[in-house]
Amino acid sequence: MSKREGPNKTKNVALVIIVVFFSCIEGPRLVSCQKNGAGSGGAGMEILAQQMYKAMSNYTSIFKSAIKKELGYCILDVDADWDGAFNFTKDLTFLTLCAQEMKGDITQRMCTAGEIEAYARSFASRSRSTIMKPNINCNMSSWVNGCEPGWGCKANQKVDLDSKKKEIPVRSAECQPCCEGFFCPHGITCMIPCPLGSYCPRAQLNKTSGICEPYRYQLPPGKDNHTCGGANIWADVASSGEMFCSAGSFCPSTITKNSCNKGYYCRTGSTAQERCFRYASCEPKSTNQNITAYGVLFFAALGFLLIIIYNCSDQVIATRERRQAKSRERAAASVRESQAREKWKTAKETAKKHAVGLQSQLSRTFSRKKTSKLDLKGFGSKHTDLPPVAPAGASTSKGKKKDKSNLTNIINDIEQDPDSQEGFNVQIGDKNVKKHAPRGKQLHTQSQIFKYAYGQIEKEKALQEQTKNMTFSGVISMANDIEIRKRPTIEVAFKDLTLTLKGKNKHLLRCVTGKLHPGRVSAVMGPSGAGKTTFLSALTGKATGCHTTGQVLVNGKESSMRSYKKIIGFVPQDDIVHGNLTVEENLWFSARCRLSADLPKEEKVLVVERVIESLGLQAIRDSLVGTVEKRGISGGQRKRVNVGLEMVMEPSLLILDEPTSGLDSSSSQLLLRALRREALEGVNICVVLHQPSYTLFKMFDDFILLAKGGLTVYHGPVNKVEEYFSSMGIVVPDRVNPPDYYIDILEGIIKLSASSGVNLKQLPVRWMLHNGYPVPMDMLKTVEGLTTPGGDGSAHGAATPGQDAGASSFAGELWQDVKCNVEMKRDTLQLNFLSSNDDLSDRKTPGAFTQYKYFLGRVGKQRLREARTQAVDFLILLLAGLCLGTLAKVSDESFGATGYTYTVIAVSLLSKIAAMRSFSMDKLHYWRESASGMSSLAYFLSKDTVDHFSTVVKPLFYLSMFYFFNNPRSTVTDNYMVLLCLVYCVTGIAYVLAISLQPGPAQLWSVLLPVVLTLVATYDNEEDSSIVRFLSDLCYTKWALEAFVISNAKRYSGVWLISRCGALNSYGYDLKHYNYCLLLLVVTGAISRMLAFFCMVTFQKK
C-alpha cells in the first residue's frame, strides 16, 4: 500500500508492459487471424508476420516472472491486458505495409529481448526523459541516424529472435525512418509496435517551429539529409499525449484515425466509437456522452419522491396506527367475551351449588313427595310453579299473599341495587339462621333462591348491556372486576444511612433512619439542598462519588436494590418521554418491555388502559407528546405520561422525584389518587415533592422531612406530624399549610421563638433522641448548649468539624477536586459496567431478541415521523452530488482522483452528521430505559438496523447525481459498492462520536475528521517519513479513495497501460487491493460499532 520509490522500484517502469504483451503472443492463433485481416499483404507477408510473432513468443520464458514481480500492482490479468493493447489480429495493415516498405527485413529491425530490457530499465531510471543510457549502438563515439528519435536501423548480422540471450545486436545498416504503427525511441536503433488506442503516423516537419509534428522531437543539427521519422516514445499521457488517439476520434488501428459520428462518443485513446444512451446529446466528434439529462430526470424524480415523503409521512403513520388500534380492539373484545363467559359460568355453578344445598335442607322439612316434585335441574331459568313454603305457625292463604308481596319487593330491590348481598344466605336448616336474618323480614326459601338467581341473571344482563357498545377505554370497568394479580412486596429499611462526598469530607446525607412500608405513600420534603434526590439515589444504590455508610435492607435482607430493578419504578424529575411517539405508544412500549414475558397481550392491554384511565389521559392518548421544535401535549400532561411509563410495568416499589412540579392542583390530585390506587395493591410508593397543598399533604400516609445537610427532622405518619412538633413548642398557625410552615423554618425564613426552647440545629437531634437513635458527638453538643444557637439558617451537618479550621492551599484544593472526579468516574464505571447483581425480582421480562423486535418497531416508527428530516438529508446529498459531479470532472491523468477526493469528504461529512442524531438526541431516554432493566444490546442494534436503510439509500442518492454529471469510466456498481462501504464505516465512527462526546464537540469532530484524514491520506512528498506513510495507510479515507481510483483505473487499457501503472505507482495503490480496501472499510465500521456499544454501556450517566 506504500508508495514505490527509487530507480529499481519502477517510478516509470511501466514500459516493461511492452515485454509482457509480446511474451503472451501465441503463434498459431495469430496465423489464422492474420489470414482474415491482411487482405493486401499477400502470402509472403503472411508468412513473414507468422515468423515474427512466433519469434517474439519466446519472450514469455524470459520476462514473465520479472513482469509479474515488478508490475503486479497495475496488471491483474496479463492475457486480458495484452488483448487490449497488442491484439492486432483485427487489422494487420500496418504490419504488411511496414514489411513491404522494409523489403521483408522487418524481423531484423524489431527489438530483441535485450534491447527491450535495456529500454525499459533506462526508462525506469529517469524521470520523463526521452534519452536512453548509452549502449553499443548509441554512445559518445558512435551515433548513427537510427539513434535519433523516430528512426531505426537494420542489424548488421542476422538476428535470431528465438534466442533467449539478452544481448543488444549491432545495428548500423540501412537506417531509415520508423514505420507507421511503430515507435523508435531516442537512443535505440530498433522498432517497437505502438499499442492499440494510439495513433502513430509518420511525422511531418513544421518548418516554422522545426518540430516533427504531431510529435515533439526536432531534427538533429548538422544533418541536412535527415527527415522526420515515426513516433519516438510511448509513456504516460502527460509525456506522450501526442501518441494517444485524440478525444472525439477513434483509431481502429495504430495508423488509422476516424472522427466520431453523431450519436457516438470517443474518449481519448479509443479504438472504437461507443454509442450514446438514448436521450443523451452526442454531436459529431463528441469526447463524452452528455448524460446530464438523465441526472436531471433522476433529480426531478427523487425530488418529487422526497416531497411526497415530506408531506405524506404522517398519513402513513396514522393509517398504521388505525390498523393497530383495531387489533387492540379485537384483543380487548376477546377479553370481554372470555370474562363474560367465565362470570356466567360462575353464576350458574354457584346457583346450582346453593340449590343442591337447599335441597338437602328442604328434605328435613317437607315430605318426600313434595321434595320429589321440586325440579332443580333447570335452575337458573324462570320457575313460576315453585310452591312457596310457609313458616311454621302461619296460614297458607296468608302466607301466599305475604310471600307474593315480599317477592315483588325483593325483585324491585334487586333491580334498584343489583350489588346488594342481602338474602343470599340460603342455609335455612341452620339453627342460627334467625339470629343472622335481617329484622322485619322472614324470607322463604323459594324467595331466597329466586333472589340469588335473579340477582346473578340481572348482573349478567347489566354487564352484557354495559359491554355491548363499550368503547376501548371501557375495558377499565371490567378490569376492576378482575382478580388483581399479587405483586411481590418490597419493604425498604435504612439505618444510620450516611453519604460523604469523596475528597471533600462533606456530608450529603447523615444518620437517616427509617422504613418505607408496602401499601403506603410516603412524601419526602425539605428545603432546597436538603438531599431529597440524594436520599433516593442512596436507596436505589446509584449514588456515585460518595462514601456510603449505614445499612439499607430490602425485605429484611441486606441486598443491592439493583437486584430488584425489574420491579422498581423510578420517575425522574425531568420528563424523559419520546416526543415523536404518542401517549399510548410510549406507555405501550414500556409495558411490553417491562411486564412479565408470560403475561398475555390482552392482560397487557388492560394494564395500559387502566393507567391511561387513572391518569386521565384518554383524551390525548393518540396525540404526539411533542418536542421543543414541535408542539405536543401540555406540560402537565407530559408529566403524567412520565409517571405512567413506570406505572404500566406494575412496580412493587415506585419512586417519584417531584412528579407534581408544574402541575395544577386538580392534576396533582388526579396523580395522587392514581398513586393511592397503586398503593392499595401493595405498592411501596415514595414521592419527593416541594410544598404541596394541604389537600395533597393529607393524601399521603407517611411524611419524611429533611433538613439541609441530609438530616432527618421527622419520619412518621402524616396525621401525627403536627402533634410531634407541637410537643416541642412549634405550633402551626391557623390557615397555614403545615409542610410550608415546616420548610420555611428549615430554610430559616421563620425564626423559632425563644420560648420554644429549641433552635434550628437541634431539630434533627431532637428527632434522634425522640426515637432513641444514636447521635454523633458533634451534633449532640448542640443540645447540650455548647455551641452558639445563632445562625439558624446555616447548612448544619454539611461538613465535619474542623473542615474549615484552616484555609487549605490552592494546590491542595485542586488535588482534592481531581481526586474526587477520578473516584466519581471510577464509581460510575463500576456501577454501569462492572457491577453484577443477582436478579431477585422474580420477574422474567422479554429477552434481548424480543426486546429487539419491540425497539425495532419503535425506532422505525420514529424514523417515519422524522421523514421530513430524512428527506432534507437526501436532498442535500443530491445537491452535493450534482455540484461535485459538475465541477470536479474526471481527469484522465489522475484517473478521477480529484473528484473522488471531494466525494470522500462530502459523503463522510454528510453521513456522519445525519448518523449522530441516532444516539445524541436519545441519551437521556437510553439512560432511563437501561436503568430500568431494558436490553442495551437490543436498543443499539435496533438503531443500527434502522440506520442501515440510510446506509443503503444515501449512496444511491449521491451517485445518481455525481455519476451522471461526472461520467467516469468505472461502472455504477463499482462506485456504489465503495460508497456503501464508506457510509457504513463513517456511520460507525459517528456513533462513537455521538455517544462519547457532547453534541457540540461531536459535530466539530465529525467535520474535522474527514478533512484531516483526507489530507493525511493524500500527502505526497518524496521526503516524507515512514511515520506519515504509516498513518496514511490507517486512514479510512485512503482506503475509500484507493478503491475509487482502482475501480476507475481498471477501465483504462491499451495505450493507457503505462499511464495506469505510473499513476498507481505514484499514489501507492494496487489493483489487487480493491476488495481489500472494501473489507477494511467494513471492518472499521464493525469495530467502530463495537466501540460505540462499549462506550454506551460503560460511560453512561446515571
Side-chain angles (χ1 to χ4, degrees):
M1 299 288 289
S2 62
K3 298 181 180 180
R4 303 166 180 84
E5 300 178 1
N8 297 326
K9 290 297 180 180
T10 65
K11 170 77 175 177
N12 291 309
V13 77
L15 192 59
V16 182
I17 298 172
I18 302 171
V19 179
V20 74
F21 297 140
F22 290 155
S23 66
C24 297
I25 301 175
E26 299 177 1
R29 188 184 72 175
L30 291 177
V31 170
S32 59
C33 295
Q34 187 181 11
K35 291 180 180 179
N36 295 330
S40 60
M45 295 298 103
E46 292 180 5
I47 297 174
L48 186 61
Q50 178 182 358
Q51 181 183 2
M52 183 181 65
Y53 281 114
K54 183 178 180 181
M56 290 193 302
S57 64
N58 292 328
Y59 292 156
T60 302
S61 59
I62 302 175
F63 291 109
K64 194 166 187 178
S65 59
I67 294 302
K68 288 184 177 179
K69 180 180 179 181
E70 297 291 339
L71 301 177
Y73 65 91
C74 62
I75 297 177
L76 293 178
D77 189 342
V78 176
D79 295 334
D81 285 335
W82 173 83
D83 284 337
F86 293 99
N87 189 357
F88 303 118
T89 56
K90 293 182 179 180
D91 189 357
L92 293 176
T93 304
F94 80 99
L95 190 59
T96 56
L97 292 178
C98 184
Q100 292 176 359
E101 182 179 355
M102 300 300 171
K103 299 179 180 180
D105 59 357
I106 185 174
T107 57
Q108 301 301 308
R109 296 180 181 271
M110 295 291 298
C111 290
T112 61
E115 291 172 305
I116 292 178
E117 182 181 15
Y119 175 72
R121 294 192 179 279
S122 178
F123 193 86
S125 64
R126 61 183 184 265
S127 177
R128 292 187 179 180
S129 175
T130 58
I131 302 177
M132 287 184 56
K133 288 184 178 181
N135 53 69
I136 192 173
N137 295 314
C138 303
N139 50 60
M140 296 296 295
S141 60
S142 174
W143 190 270
V144 296
N145 288 336
C147 296
E148 298 296 336
W151 277 57
C153 299
K154 179 180 177 181
N156 295 351
Q157 298 179 354
K158 185 177 180 181
V159 176
D160 186 7
L161 296 180
D162 296 336
S163 176
K164 297 183 180 180
K165 297 180 180 181
K166 298 182 179 180
E167 296 180 354
I168 299 178
V170 178
R171 299 178 185 273
S172 59
E174 300 181 15
C175 296
Q176 62 184 41
C178 197
C179 292
E180 291 185 327
F182 291 83
F183 71 97
C184 298
H186 190 190
I188 196 171
T189 58
C190 59
M191 299 189 305
I192 302 175
C194 293
L196 292 175
S198 62
Y199 180 57
C200 301
R202 188 69 60 82
Q204 301 293 329
L205 178 63
N206 188 330
K207 296 182 179 181
T208 304
S209 60
I211 296 177
C212 294
E213 296 180 347
Y215 311 111
R216 303 177 184 177
Y217 62 88
Q218 295 179 335
L219 296 179
K223 296 183 178 181
D224 298 335
N225 59 346
H226 196 87
T227 61
C228 292
N232 65 318
I233 188 174
W234 173 36
D236 59 278
V237 67
S239 301
S240 59
E242 66 277 1
M243 186 178 177
F244 287 67
C245 190
S246 60
S249 304
F250 67 98
C251 302
S253 69
T254 56
I255 61 174
T256 306
K257 182 178 180 181
N258 300 323
S259 298
C260 253
N261 299 324
K262 185 176 182 179
Y264 295 86
Y265 70 96
C266 300
R267 303 176 190 260
T268 302
S270 299
T271 59
Q273 55 185 355
E274 299 182 43
R275 183 179 294 276
C276 297
F277 294 156
R278 180 179 294 184
Y279 307 121
S281 58
C282 291
E283 299 296 327
K285 297 184 179 181
S286 296
T287 60
N288 204 342
Q289 60 176 337
N290 186 1
I291 54 177
T292 306
Y294 286 90
V296 173
L297 291 177
F298 268 96
F299 183 82
L302 294 175
F304 181 72
L305 178 62
L306 293 178
I307 291 174
I308 294 177
I309 295 175
Y310 187 87
N311 292 281
C312 301
S313 57
D314 293 340
Q315 186 64 34
V316 175
I317 296 293
T319 304
R320 185 173 181 271
E321 287 306 312
R322 284 198 300 267
R323 294 176 62 88
Q324 291 184 347
K326 291 180 180 179
S327 176
R328 288 192 291 270
E329 287 283 357
R330 288 192 295 268
S334 176
V335 174
R336 290 197 296 266
E337 293 176 2
S338 61
Q339 289 177 348
R341 286 194 297 266
E342 290 296 328
K343 290 182 179 180
W344 176 251
K345 182 178 178 181
T346 302
K348 290 172 61 178
E349 291 178 352
T350 305
K352 186 175 180 180
K353 177 180 177 181
H354 287 291
V356 173
L358 175 63
Q359 184 178 4
S360 63
Q361 297 293 336
L362 292 178
S363 63
R364 293 194 290 265
T365 307
F366 300 99
S367 64
R368 184 178 302 276
K369 181 177 179 180
K370 290 184 177 182
T371 305
S372 63
K373 292 181 180 180
L374 185 61
D375 185 10
L376 298 176
K377 295 182 179 179
F379 188 79
S381 60
K382 296 181 180 180
H383 292 276
T384 58
D385 55 349
L386 286 176
V389 180
S395 62
T396 305
S397 59
K398 187 177 180 180
K400 288 183 180 180
K401 184 176 181 181
K402 186 175 181 179
D403 292 341
K404 184 176 181 181
S405 177
N406 290 337
L407 186 60
T408 303
N409 294 333
I410 291 171
I411 294 174
N412 294 333
D413 292 341
I414 293 175
E415 291 177 348
Q416 294 176 2
D417 187 9
D419 296 329
S420 175
Q421 304 296 323
E422 181 184 3
F424 276 31
N425 187 359
V426 295
Q427 298 179 0
I428 304 300
D430 196 334
K431 295 180 181 180
N432 298 324
V433 66
K434 295 182 179 180
K435 184 185 298 184
H436 298 289
R439 295 181 179 181
K441 287 188 178 181
Q442 296 293 333
L443 300 181
H444 296 281
T445 302
Q446 180 184 2
S447 300
Q448 291 175 329
I449 296 173
F450 182 81
K451 181 173 181 178
Y452 178 79
Y454 187 81
Q456 294 295 329
I457 293 172
E458 289 299 324
K459 281 185 178 181
E460 192 63 33
K461 287 182 178 179
L463 180 63
Q464 292 177 356
E465 186 66 26
Q466 182 181 1
T467 59
K468 183 176 180 181
N469 297 318
M470 186 180 295
T471 60
F472 190 50
S473 299
V475 183
I476 303 304
S477 61
M478 293 199 315
N480 297 332
D481 298 331
I482 302 175
E483 183 180 357
I484 299 174
R485 293 184 301 276
K486 294 182 179 179
R487 304 185 192 179
T489 59
I490 292 181
E491 182 184 70
V492 183
F494 39 93
K495 182 179 180 181
D496 200 22
L497 186 61
T498 302
L499 264 69
T500 306
L501 193 62
K502 291 181 179 179
K504 296 187 177 181
N505 201 25
K506 179 181 180 180
H507 292 303
L508 302 180
L509 207 66
R510 191 174 188 189
C511 302
V512 178
T513 302
K515 184 181 292 186
L516 300 178
H517 300 275
R520 298 180 69 84
V521 184
S522 303
V524 181
M525 302 183 195
S528 298
K532 301 183 292 298
T533 304
T534 304
F535 170 68
L536 299 183
S537 301
L539 290 182
T540 55
K542 298 179 181 179
T544 58
C546 300
H547 290 294
T548 304
T549 59
Q551 288 182 320
V552 177
L553 304 179
V554 181
N555 293 334
K557 299 179 181 180
E558 191 170 357
S559 58
S560 174
M561 192 73 74
R562 293 173 62 85
S563 301
Y564 299 87
K565 63 181 180 180
K566 291 184 179 180
I567 56 175
I568 295 177
F570 183 84
V571 180
Q573 182 176 355
D574 299 325
D575 300 331
I576 305 175
V577 186
H578 289 279
N580 47 12
L581 296 177
T582 64
V583 172
E584 183 178 2
E585 289 168 353
N586 275 287
L587 299 178
W588 178 240
F589 176 81
S590 180
R592 287 203 296 178
C593 289
R594 301 176 66 182
L595 286 174
S596 180
D598 55 0
L599 190 66
K601 179 181 178 181
E602 293 80 4
E603 298 295 334
K604 294 180 181 179
V605 170
L606 294 179
V607 171
V608 175
E609 291 300 317
R610 177 177 61 84
V611 173
I612 292 177
E613 180 76 18
S614 61
L615 293 176
L617 301 174
Q618 304 95 322
I620 59 168
R621 61 183 304 159
D622 296 325
S623 302
L624 289 176
V625 174
T627 59
V628 177
E629 296 84 6
K630 187 176 182 180
R631 175 69 176 173
I633 60 179
S634 65
Q637 293 168 340
R638 186 186 183 96
K639 178 72 71 175
R640 280 180 277 163
V641 175
N642 187 34
V643 177
L645 290 178
E646 303 300 325
M647 291 178 60
V648 294
M649 52 86 65
E650 294 192 336
S652 297
L653 173 62
L654 183 58
I655 301 175
L656 303 95
D657 192 2
E658 301 185 15
T660 59
S661 298
L663 298 183
D664 53 19
S665 58
S666 61
S667 299
S668 300
Q669 291 184 22
L670 180 64
L671 178 59
L672 261 296
R673 290 194 191 100
L675 295 179
R676 291 201 60 84
R677 180 175 178 178
E678 292 289 311
L680 293 177
E681 300 180 9
V683 182
N684 192 344
I685 300 177
C686 182
V687 183
V688 171
L689 69 166
H690 282 294
Q691 297 179 321
S693 64
Y694 184 75
T695 304
L696 291 181
F697 179 67
K698 286 298 183 180
M699 295 178 69
F700 290 97
D701 298 314
D702 296 325
F703 178 44
I704 301 175
L705 183 62
L706 298 177
K708 289 186 176 182
L711 296 166
T712 306
V713 176
Y714 179 81
H715 184 183
V718 170
N719 53 11
K720 294 184 178 180
V721 61
E722 294 186 52
E723 178 183 348
Y724 168 74
F725 281 100
S726 298
S727 65
M728 294 186 298
I730 302 176
V731 181
V732 180
D734 295 337
R735 306 180 69 178
V736 176
N737 191 13
D740 293 346
Y741 186 75
Y742 299 142
I743 292 176
D744 289 343
I745 292 176
L746 297 179
E747 282 281 9
I749 299 175
I750 298 178
K751 305 295 182 180
L752 295 176
S753 61
S755 61
S756 63
V758 65
N759 58 33
L760 178 59
K761 291 184 178 181
Q762 294 177 351
L763 291 179
V765 181
R766 288 293 185 94
W767 172 252
M768 294 180 185
L769 296 176
H770 176 77
N771 292 275
Y773 300 151
V775 183
M777 291 301 299
D778 62 304
M779 297 178 61
L780 192 60
K781 294 179 181 179
T782 60
V783 179
E784 297 174 353
L786 299 179
T787 59
T788 304
D792 294 340
S794 62
H796 53 275
T800 58
Q803 179 181 351
D804 299 328
S808 59
S809 63
F810 175 79
E813 292 182 359
L814 180 61
W815 169 248
Q816 291 295 334
D817 291 340
V818 173
K819 184 179 178 180
C820 181
N821 291 332
V822 171
E823 291 181 349
M824 186 175 296
K825 293 292 184 181
R826 184 191 62 188
D827 292 348
T828 304
L829 177 63
Q830 183 177 3
L831 176 67
N832 297 333
F833 189 71
L834 301 179
S835 61
S836 58
N837 301 292
D838 297 332
D839 186 12
L840 303 176
S841 59
D842 196 23
R843 174 183 290 185
K844 185 178 180 181
T845 55
F849 179 74
T850 304
Q851 290 191 35
Y852 167 73
K853 294 191 296 183
Y854 296 155
F855 273 107
L856 194 63
R858 185 185 74 175
V859 177
K861 191 179 300 181
Q862 290 175 318
R863 288 291 187 274
L864 287 176
R865 290 204 171 100
E866 296 172 355
R868 296 184 176 183
T869 304
Q870 299 287 334
V872 172
D873 292 339
F874 294 150
L875 181 61
I876 294 175
L877 279 171
L878 284 176
L879 296 177
L882 188 149
C883 295
L884 294 180
T886 303
L887 300 177
K889 291 296 184 180
V890 175
S891 173
D892 291 329
E893 297 182 10
S894 62
F895 298 95
T898 303
Y900 287 134
T901 301
Y902 296 147
T903 294
V904 171
I905 296 176
V907 174
S908 299
L909 177 60
L910 297 177
S911 299
K912 281 182 181 178
I913 293 178
M916 283 195 302
R917 289 197 300 265
S918 297
F919 289 94
S920 61
M921 307 300 293
D922 291 340
K923 284 185 179 181
L924 294 177
H925 302 87
Y926 166 71
W927 293 338
R928 177 178 183 177
E929 292 170 353
S930 63
S932 64
M934 293 190 189
S935 174
S936 298
L937 181 62
Y939 172 84
F940 184 86
L941 291 181
S942 64
K943 291 273 190 179
D944 187 38
T945 303
V946 174
D947 282 343
H948 285 342
F949 172 77
S950 297
T951 303
V952 173
V953 173
K954 284 182 177 179
L956 291 176
F957 274 83
Y958 179 83
L959 203 58
S960 63
M961 294 294 101
F962 178 81
Y963 189 85
F964 288 109
F965 284 89
N966 191 273
N967 197 13
R969 297 198 183 192
S970 55
T971 63
V972 176
T973 304
D974 290 339
N975 286 271
Y976 175 75
M977 291 303 300
V978 179
L979 283 176
L980 180 66
C981 297
L982 175 61
V983 174
Y984 180 80
C985 175
V986 299
T987 301
I989 297 175
Y991 289 166
V992 178
L993 297 176
I995 292 173
S996 57
L997 300 176
Q998 294 298 322
Q1003 292 179 0
L1004 179 62
W1005 274 103
S1006 67
V1007 174
L1008 293 178
L1009 197 61
V1011 177
V1012 173
L1013 292 182
T1014 303
L1015 293 176
V1016 175
T1018 57
Y1019 180 73
D1020 186 13
N1021 189 351
E1022 296 182 358
E1023 298 179 357
D1024 60 355
S1025 62
S1026 58
I1027 298 178
V1028 176
R1029 292 196 298 270
F1030 175 76
L1031 294 177
S1032 175
D1033 292 337
L1034 295 180
C1035 299
Y1036 77 88
T1037 53
K1038 166 74 175 297
W1039 308 330
L1041 185 57
E1042 181 174 359
F1044 274 126
V1045 174
I1046 289 174
S1047 63
N1048 201 36
K1050 288 190 299 184
R1051 302 295 170 177
Y1052 288 79
S1053 60
V1055 72
W1056 288 101
L1057 287 176
I1058 292 183
S1059 297
R1060 184 174 80 182
C1061 288
L1064 294 179
N1065 180 70
S1066 63
Y1067 295 142
Y1069 298 162
D1070 194 325
L1071 288 180
K1072 297 187 294 293
H1073 289 168
Y1074 177 78
N1075 294 329
Y1076 176 69
C1077 292
L1078 298 186
L1079 179 62
L1080 287 177
L1081 290 173
V1082 174
V1083 170
T1084 302
I1087 294 177
S1088 300
R1089 282 163 171 80
M1090 295 179 187
L1091 180 60
F1093 177 73
F1094 176 79
C1095 295
M1096 184 184 73
V1097 176
T1098 306
F1099 302 108
Q1100 56 175 292
K1101 180 181 179 181
K1102 293 289 184 179

